[in-house]
C-alpha cells in the first residue's frame, strides 16, 4: 500500500519547519538548497548565477542536504520528545 499524500495543513507545517531549519544552515548551503530544491532551478542556472563549476554546485548541494538532514533528525527527535505536531519547538530545548 502506498503512503498517503500529506494534506494542505501537513504541508504547511512541514514547510514552516523546513524554512526555519534552512535559515540556520551555512549561508552558501541555504542559498543552494533554496535555489535547487525549493525554487526548482536547474543546476546549470545555479552554476551560471553563482559563477562556479557544476561540480562545485553539486558538492555544495550534497553537503547542504546532509546538513539539513542532520538538523531535521535533531529537530524531529526534539519534537517527538515534547509530543508537539506543529514543529514550533526551538532546537535548544
Amino acid at each position: 500500500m502506498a503512503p498517503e499524500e500529506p494534506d494542505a495543513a501537513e504541508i504547511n507545517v512541514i514547510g514552516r519547519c523546513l524554512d526555519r531549519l534552512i535559515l540556520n544552515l551555512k549561508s552558501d548551503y541555504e542559498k543552494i538548497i533554496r535555489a535547487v530544491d525549493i525554487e526548482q532551478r536547474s543546476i546549470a542556472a545555479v552554476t551560471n548565477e553563482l559563477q562556479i563549476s557544476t561540480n562545485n554546485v553539486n558538492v555544495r548541494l550534497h553537503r547542504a542536504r546532509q546538513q539539513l538532514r542532520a538538523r531535521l533528525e535533531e529537530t524531529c527527535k526534539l519534537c517527538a520528545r515534547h509530543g508537539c505536531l506543529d514543529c514550533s519547538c526551538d532546537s535548544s530545548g
Side-chain angles (χ1 to χ4, degrees):
M1 178 188 273
E4 289 183 35
E5 292 291 319
D7 64 21
E10 290 172 323
I11 290 171
N12 189 23
V13 168
I14 292 166
R16 285 194 324 261
C17 183
L18 282 174
D19 274 345
R20 185 171 43 84
L21 294 175
I22 290 169
L23 280 172
N24 291 317
L25 297 177
K26 181 179 164 184
S27 177
D28 289 345
Y29 294 171
E30 176 192 355
K31 289 176 188 173
I32 209 139
I33 286 276
R34 288 195 187 281
V36 175
D37 291 334
I38 295 176
E39 298 169 7
Q40 298 185 333
R41 293 171 37 215
S42 69
I43 297 293
V46 175
T47 296
N48 288 333
E49 179 185 324
L50 298 178
Q51 297 184 357
I52 58 177
S53 71
T54 301
N55 187 54
N56 198 335
V57 168
N58 286 322
V59 168
R60 285 187 194 183
L61 184 58
H62 175 74
R63 290 178 180 166
R65 287 173 176 163
Q66 284 183 317
Q67 194 175 88
L68 180 58
R69 180 177 329 156
R71 299 268 167 84
L72 277 168
E73 289 172 354
E74 292 167 3
T75 301
C76 288
K77 288 177 186 173
L78 181 68
C79 286
R81 182 176 57 204
H82 290 131
C84 58
L85 299 175
D86 65 359
C87 231
S88 61
C89 296
D90 73 26
S91 58
S92 64

